């Protein structure tokens, strides 16, 4: 079976995605799959074989190698950010009838939009921070924001990952810089109240037909919050399993499954919560979680004693079972 391991992307998260793709290439069972390293970048799409680039035909996502046209049976999507985590690649693959891993284009687009995700989850009584939504060009009343959310609060791009563009505002003097930082990533931003509690990250997937929680990881950031440095440059301690009571563990698992199913998810995901006053508050869900050896999701798979190659077999099986919406 020809498997395209798709990595890269058009955002600053492409570097992280390339690391995730390498783990997939190493873990795929070579007796079952012929894996191809495929890079999707803003200036070119290509398959990398023995350090040589072979262009991807965008009309049908095939590649020509030594006059032989290679057609992929399935794509494993490891792109973080646009266009692989926001629904664009998923919609394209559906149009050309290529099976792909993870959730479909609607769930990808929905969960990449923080405001819309929070709106959907509010219908299912999922606890979350208080928030204000602002678009570029809006008149911003700093005192009103403080009166509604208190201090400190967070300023986030509405559509971005890996904590890019996120700031914690401790005084209103910090707000203009935080707004500029967030608006550099997206034209819409979310301002959220500060939740003072224990941060945990929960790996959830559809495994053998059931919504399954791999584990709960406690995040102890050396910075003010779990920002890009803390996530990827070693400025945090990640403790699996989290140091929480069995009762609280059960509640986190129940809530994480509810989030996953309420959003109609399939495939790998990582959901972040802040546990405050004994209640897990939803922060965000990542539909293409980092998969480098240092990332949380692979750590949780090891904790659950599930071989990563088995998780990939499961993802490919699910991908092949899915039918494009236009075929249903």
């Amino acid at each position: 079976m020809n498997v395209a391991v798709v990595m890269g992307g058009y955002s600053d998260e492409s570097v992280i995605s390339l690391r995730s793709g390498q783990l997939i290439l190493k873990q795929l069972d070579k007796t079952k799959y012929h894996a191809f390293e495929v890079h999707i970048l803003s200036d070119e799409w290509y398959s990398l074989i023995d350090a040589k680039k072979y262009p991807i035909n965008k009309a049908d996502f095939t590649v020509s190698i030594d006059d032989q046209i290679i057609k992929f049976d399935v794509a494993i999507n490891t792109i973080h950010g646009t266009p692989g985590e926001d629904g664009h690649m998923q919609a394209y693959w559906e149009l050309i009838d290529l099976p792909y891993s993870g959730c479909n284009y609607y769930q990808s687009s929905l969960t990449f939009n923080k405001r819309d995700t929070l709106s959907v989850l509010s219908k299912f009584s999922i606890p979350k921070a208080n928030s204000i939504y602002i678009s570029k060009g809006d008149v911003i009343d700093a005192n009103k924001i403080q009166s509604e959310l208190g201090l400190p609060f967070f300023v986030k791009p509405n559509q971005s990952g890996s904590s890019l563009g996120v700031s914690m505002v401790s005084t209103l003097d910090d707000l203009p810089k935080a707004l500029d930082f967030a608006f550099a990533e997206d034209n819409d931003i979310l301002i959220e109240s500060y939740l003072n509690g224990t941060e945990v990250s929960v790996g959830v997937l559809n495994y053998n037909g059931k919504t399954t929680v791999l584990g709960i990881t406690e995040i102890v950031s050396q910075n003010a919050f779990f920002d890009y440095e803390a996530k990827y440059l070693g400025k945090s301690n990640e403790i699996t399993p989290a140091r929480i009571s069995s009762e609280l563990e059960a509640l986190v698992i129940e809530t994480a499954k509810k989030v996953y199913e309420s959003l109609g998810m399939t495939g790998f995901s990582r959901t972040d919560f802040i546990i405050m006053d004994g209640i897990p508050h939803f922060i965000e869900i990542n539909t293409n979680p980092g998969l480098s050896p240092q990332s949380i999701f692979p750590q949780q798979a090891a904790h659950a004693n599930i071989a990563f190659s088995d998780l990939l077999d499961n993802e490919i099986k699910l991908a092949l079972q899915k039918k494009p919406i236009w075929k249903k």
Side-chain angles (χ1 to χ4, degrees), residues 10-12 82 134-137 155-161 163-167 175-190:
Y10 301 166
S11 74
D12 293 337
T82 190
I134 294 175
S135 297
K136 185 172 285 188
V155 177
K156 304 177 178 181
N158 187 46
Q159 298 190 80
S160 178
S163 296
L164 294 171
V166 179
S167 301
L175 181 57
K177 182 179 179 181
L179 292 172
D180 289 342
F181 191 42
F183 278 132
E185 297 291 332
D186 191 20
N187 288 332
D188 301 304
I189 65 172
L190 200 67

Side-chain angles (χ1 to χ4, degrees), residues 66-110:
D66 299 329
D67 297 325
Q68 179 184 3
I69 295 177
I70 303 296
K71 178 177 172 59
F72 300 115
D73 297 295
V74 65
I76 295 182
N77 177 23
T78 66
I79 295 175
H80 306 318
T82 190
E85 200 170 4
D86 56 5
H88 292 118
M89 291 302 297
Q90 291 86 344
Y92 160 72
W93 285 324
E94 292 219 2
L95 286 173
I96 64 172
D97 201 12
L98 175 65
Y100 58 89
S101 66
C103 55
N104 68 25
Y105 70 87
Y106 172 74
Q107 271 72 31
S108 299
S109 179
L110 169 65

Side-chain angles (χ1 to χ4, degrees), residues 3-7 24 28 74-78 93 99-101 312 316:
V3 178
V5 180
V6 185
M7 62 194 80
I24 300 291
L28 275 172
V74 65
I76 295 182
N77 177 23
T78 66
W93 285 324
Y100 58 89
S101 66
L312 294 175
I316 291 171

Side-chain angles (χ1 to χ4, degrees), residues 48-328:
L48 187 64
I49 302 173
D50 296 328
K52 184 177 179 181
K53 297 178 181 180
Y54 295 86
I56 295 290
N57 184 343
K58 294 182 181 180
D60 57 7
F61 209 69
T62 59
V63 61
S64 180
I65 301 173
D66 299 329
D67 297 325
Q68 179 184 3
I69 295 177
I70 303 296
K71 178 177 172 59
F72 300 115
D73 297 295
V74 65
I76 295 182
N77 177 23
T78 66
I79 295 175
H80 306 318
T82 190
E85 200 170 4
D86 56 5
H88 292 118
M89 291 302 297
Q90 291 86 344
Y92 160 72
W93 285 324
E94 292 219 2
L95 286 173
I96 64 172
D97 201 12
L98 175 65
Y100 58 89
S101 66
C103 55
N104 68 25
Y105 70 87
Y106 172 74
Q107 271 72 31
S108 299
S109 179
L110 169 65
T111 54
F112 199 68
N113 187 305
K114 294 180 176 68
R115 181 192 65 169
D116 291 354
T117 302
L118 293 172
S119 179
V120 170
L121 291 179
S122 67
K123 309 300 182 184
F124 296 92
S125 302
I126 302 293
K128 55 184 175 52
N130 295 324
S131 60
I132 296 172
Y133 183 75
I134 294 175
S135 297
K136 185 172 285 188
D138 287 351
V139 176
I140 297 172
D141 187 335
N143 290 318
K144 182 179 178 182
I145 293 172
Q146 180 180 349
S147 66
E148 289 189 28
L149 303 181
L151 283 169
F153 55 75
F154 283 97
V155 177
K156 304 177 178 181
N158 187 46
Q159 298 190 80
S160 178
S162 295
S163 296
L164 294 171
V166 179
S167 301
M168 187 169 78
V169 172
S170 299
T171 72
L172 292 185
D173 291 339
D174 299 331
L175 181 57
K177 182 179 179 181
L179 292 172
D180 289 342
F181 191 42
F183 278 132
E185 297 291 332
D186 191 20
N187 288 332
D188 301 304
I189 65 172
L190 200 67
I191 303 179
E192 291 186 331
S193 61
Y194 175 70
L195 298 173
N196 186 15
T198 301
E199 182 164 2
V200 295
S201 192
V202 189
V204 188
L205 74 160
N206 180 331
Y207 187 60
N208 291 333
K210 296 192 305 182
T211 301
T212 301
V213 170
L214 285 180
I216 303 172
T217 298
E218 180 181 347
I219 308 298
V220 183
S221 177
Q222 296 174 22
N223 294 347
F225 64 98
F226 196 40
D227 59 5
Y228 185 92
E229 280 191 342
K231 286 182 177 179
Y232 301 114
L233 301 180
K235 295 289 186 74
S236 68
N237 295 319
E238 298 163 359
I239 304 166
T240 308
R243 299 169 298 180
I244 56 178
S245 68
S246 57
E247 293 81 11
L248 193 50
E249 178 185 5
L251 180 58
V252 171
I253 289 173
E254 177 189 351
T255 307
K257 287 183 176 180
K258 187 176 181 180
V259 167
Y260 189 89
E261 293 172 353
S262 298
L263 294 171
M265 288 293 303
T266 57
F268 295 170
S269 75
R270 197 192 74 239
T271 307
D272 299 333
F273 298 93
I274 298 287
I275 302 172
M276 186 173 73
D277 299 327
I279 299 172
H281 289 67
F282 174 83
I283 302 299
E284 66 178 359
I285 184 169
N286 297 275
T287 58
N288 275 0
L291 299 177
S292 68
Q294 296 77 30
S295 296
I296 290 172
F297 196 90
Q299 292 178 33
Q300 292 177 343
H303 171 71
N305 292 318
I306 301 176
F308 210 84
S309 58
D310 290 342
L311 293 181
L312 294 175
D313 285 347
N314 184 76
E315 281 294 284
I316 291 171
K317 179 181 177 181
L318 287 174
L320 295 174
Q321 289 173 349
K322 283 191 301 189
K323 290 183 179 180
I325 289 177
W326 59 268
K327 276 193 167 185
K328 292 181 180 178

